[in-house]
Amino acid sequence: GKRPSAPAPSTAVQPAAAQIAQPVMLDVQIDDKTVGGRHPKTLLKDIHFQIPQHSLVAIIGTSGAGKTLLLNCLSGKDSLYNGRTLYKNQEDLRAHYKNLGPMIGYVQQSNVFLQELTVFEEIYSSAKLRMAEDSSRAEIKEQVDSVLHKLDIYALKDSPIKKLSGGQKRRVSVARELVGYKPVLCLDEPDAGLSYIDKDKLFTKLRDIVHPPRDIQRAAGEDGSERVLSIIMVIHEIDMLDMFDEVIVVAAPRAKDPGTRNPGRLAFAGTPADALRHFGGARDFREMFKNLNDQISDPDHITFQPYEVPGLAPQPPLGK
């Protein structure tokens, strides 16, 4: 369907959930991510932040700042960087990827399905691959039904995937990872090409998943049915940032030489409400993003300074 007119940007921002201190799910430190041999290019530099458990996290940033690259690094999909990613503040994801890799789900930008399958057939086949080998058909079906309900696509379970809308297909993509009991779920631009309404539905369902009722939180992991604790995604829809618990902002200041580029650096990490205050006391997220662009757009007058997350080690200034 056609994308409806976007509502006016939020002016009164509230956290997506009560801000109760949560244990750390991922501690991400990327000293540098460099590619190329004879002419290496540093694409990310001096980025350090933490992802709390039970949090819905948005990664946003300026053009060319390396948002998807950052997601790939923190998910373990890309391990070729200097630094480390600690899982639950215990083990480095890269050093123990054989054991920890299955803990991280990843949904890529494009939907890849067998279009003739029904929604249930697609998710059931994924569940068979991801659940324990001794899982019975009844157990697999119960988990599939549970995930379909969570994402509000249970009524579509007998529909061929080829007949679904773009927003419905994105939720099917997410469902394939959810049936694998992933404590961390990473999504690369799940809102791309979706209407504003479809984005709102998707973000709302994902927020409900990371914030289950407290009685379910206490039982998390006991029967393998509620293990998704944090969801991290690269998004474009900045007007909807108030639906998230945390926002990670990366920025790459414009280089003077058109043939070169500055690496992406951490511009902010924290709650959406704190992000507005950090970027000049912005009234809404559009003004926040404009203020950030003003800091990086003129190569002769760069005013951007990398963000230091309170309680974490300070990062070197630009040029160091």
Side-chain angles (χ1 to χ4, degrees):
K2 293 183 179 179
R3 175 191 174 108
S5 298
S10 302
T11 55
V13 178
Q14 298 295 328
Q19 294 300 311
I20 300 174
Q22 293 284 359
V24 175
M25 174 60 77
L26 295 178
D27 187 310
V28 181
Q29 180 172 325
I30 300 174
D31 299 328
D32 68 83
K33 165 64 181 178
T34 302
V35 298
R38 296 176 57 186
H39 304 286
K41 292 182 179 180
T42 300
L43 304 181
L44 295 173
K45 184 175 177 66
D46 299 321
I47 293 177
H48 188 191
F49 59 85
Q50 294 177 335
I51 301 293
Q53 294 183 24
H54 294 292
S55 60
L56 186 64
V57 183
I59 297 177
I60 66 169
T62 59
S63 179
K67 300 179 287 295
T68 295
L69 188 60
L70 174 59
L71 186 73
N72 290 343
C73 290
L74 68 85
S75 69
K77 189 177 178 70
D78 187 332
S79 62
L80 301 178
Y81 64 91
N82 292 315
R84 50 100 181 115
T85 295
L86 296 182
Y87 178 76
K88 294 187 176 180
N89 269 348
Q90 296 175 354
E91 297 177 291
D92 187 351
L93 177 61
R94 296 184 306 166
H96 303 276
Y97 191 75
K98 183 176 180 179
N99 293 326
L100 296 180
M103 302 293 103
I104 315 291
Y106 193 99
V107 180
Q108 61 187 6
Q109 290 183 30
S110 58
N111 299 313
V112 181
F113 303 117
L114 290 175
Q115 297 289 332
E116 303 301 324
L117 293 182
T118 66
V119 170
F120 182 86
E121 289 169 341
E122 176 69 31
I123 306 306
Y124 186 89
S125 62
S126 180
K128 284 186 66 176
L129 293 174
R130 298 167 192 268
M131 292 176 63
E133 291 184 3
D134 59 353
S135 298
S136 67
R137 177 177 174 80
E139 290 171 333
I140 297 174
K141 182 180 182 300
E142 180 181 7
Q143 172 62 2
V144 171
D145 288 346
S146 173
V147 168
L148 294 179
H149 278 297
K150 288 185 177 72
L151 291 167
D152 196 24
I153 51 176
Y154 182 82
L156 301 171
K157 68 174 187 175
D158 296 322
S159 300
I161 291 175
K162 64 182 179 181
K163 293 186 177 181
L164 303 183
S165 69
Q168 291 165 344
K169 287 180 179 178
R170 291 308 288 163
R171 279 182 275 167
V172 173
S173 289
V174 174
R176 286 195 306 197
E177 291 296 322
L178 287 182
V179 292
Y181 303 137
K182 306 288 187 178
V184 180
L185 186 60
C186 297
L187 296 89
D188 189 9
E189 301 186 16
D191 56 338
L194 300 187
S195 71
Y196 195 92
I197 292 175
D198 279 335
K199 293 175 187 181
D200 181 80
K201 288 180 180 178
L202 177 62
F203 294 165
T204 297
K205 292 302 176 184
L206 295 178
R207 186 178 61 187
D208 291 344
I209 287 171
V210 299
H211 296 297
R214 292 192 176 278
D215 57 333
I216 295 180
Q217 282 194 31
R218 286 194 295 270
E222 291 180 2
D223 62 357
S225 63
E226 292 287 351
R227 294 184 184 173
V228 175
L229 301 181
S230 298
I231 297 179
I232 310 157
M233 64 185 86
V234 175
I235 68 168
H236 290 291
E237 191 59 71
I238 60 173
D239 287 340
M240 304 177 82
L241 283 177
D242 53 353
M243 299 182 71
F244 291 78
D245 301 297
E246 302 279 324
V247 56
I248 308 298
V249 187
V250 288
R254 184 177 175 186
K256 290 186 177 183
D257 183 352
T260 64
R261 58 159 289 177
N262 284 316
R265 304 285 290 264
L266 183 66
F268 177 79
T271 68
D274 286 341
L276 292 179
R277 287 187 281 269
H278 176 73
F279 291 102
R283 294 167 298 178
D284 53 58
F285 297 119
R286 294 185 190 183
E287 182 179 346
M288 179 193 85
F289 212 71
K290 179 183 181 300
N291 291 346
L292 174 59
N293 271 308
D294 290 344
Q295 296 175 13
I296 67 169
S297 297
D298 185 348
D300 294 316
H301 300 90
I302 298 295
T303 60
F304 169 79
Q305 292 297 323
Y307 182 72
E308 296 181 7
V309 178
L312 298 183
Q315 298 303 313
L318 289 173
K320 300 299 183 180

